Amino acid sequence: MKIVFGADHGGFELKETLKKHCLDSGYQIEDLGTHSTDSCDYPLIADKVAAALANGAADFGILVCGTGIGISIAANRHKGIRAALLYNDAVAALAREHNDANIAVFGARTQNHNDAIRFLDIFLKTPFSNGERHCRRIAELG
Ligand code: RB5
């Protein structure tokens, strides 16, 4: 499984933590930036990760900004992207089971690193339920 990473300056350090965790766990990864804590714009990072998923270069994306909100809004403007801000264990599972989310989003200024790692592990290990009502609702997203 290949995972692409993106973060703005506010999410840089948490991105680095999550990247290391994924590498240690045996996932193939690609980091699409940012590569420092210098200020940058989260919509441009979200666009890169969305494009990597759209062209099949990766199976899942991970995005991080200060709150996780701006980068979620930006990612979800792209067709076929279902970016979910993970904030507890149940949400991490439901984002996959019900929403077939393909990007896990984190807020570096609102979450600690250990929680984010746990939410990410749950997210990556939980399959989509493939239930009829969930498939219908995802199709309705267009
Ligand atoms: C950057 O300062 C901050 O606005 C950004 O990381 C994010 O929190 C936006 O939603």
Side-chain angles (χ1 to χ4, degrees):
M1 185 190 294
K2 181 165 175 190
I3 304 171
V4 279
F5 285 76
D8 74 355
H9 53 289
F12 170 73
E13 283 169 11
L14 179 55
K15 169 173 70 68
E16 295 303 299
T17 295
L18 296 174
K19 239 171 66 181
K20 179 178 183 324
H21 176 71
C22 285
L23 280 171
D24 291 347
S25 302
Y27 293 109
Q28 197 189 342
I29 71 140
E30 186 177 1
D31 185 351
L32 300 177
T34 188
H35 301 290
S36 77
T37 54
D38 294 346
S39 184
C40 67
D41 297 340
Y42 60 79
L44 307 181
I45 301 290
D47 288 351
K48 288 185 190 177
V49 168
L53 291 180
N55 70 26
D59 303 293
F60 286 104
I62 294 174
L63 286 171
V64 193
C65 70
T67 59
I69 293 174
I71 213 157
S72 296
I73 293 169
N76 279 315
R77 294 174 64 88
H78 293 267
K79 185 173 169 58
I81 293 299
R82 292 175 300 280
L85 178 54
L86 307 185
Y87 53 86
N88 67 32
D89 293 1
V91 163
L94 287 168
R96 292 285 310 127
E97 285 173 12
H98 287 194
N99 309 112
D100 198 16
N102 48 16
I103 298 182
V105 186
F106 300 92
R109 294 175 183 153
T110 62
Q111 297 179 304
N112 71 56
H113 289 212
N114 287 338
D115 284 346
I117 287 171
R118 194 176 69 256
F119 303 157
L120 180 58
D121 281 343
I122 293 169
F123 180 90
L124 292 173
K125 287 176 181 147
T126 304
F128 178 46
S129 71
N130 220 18
E132 188 276 332
R133 70 184 190 284
H134 299 306
C135 291
R136 182 181 70 243
R137 289 164 188 163
I138 287 166
E140 287 167 356
L141 291 170

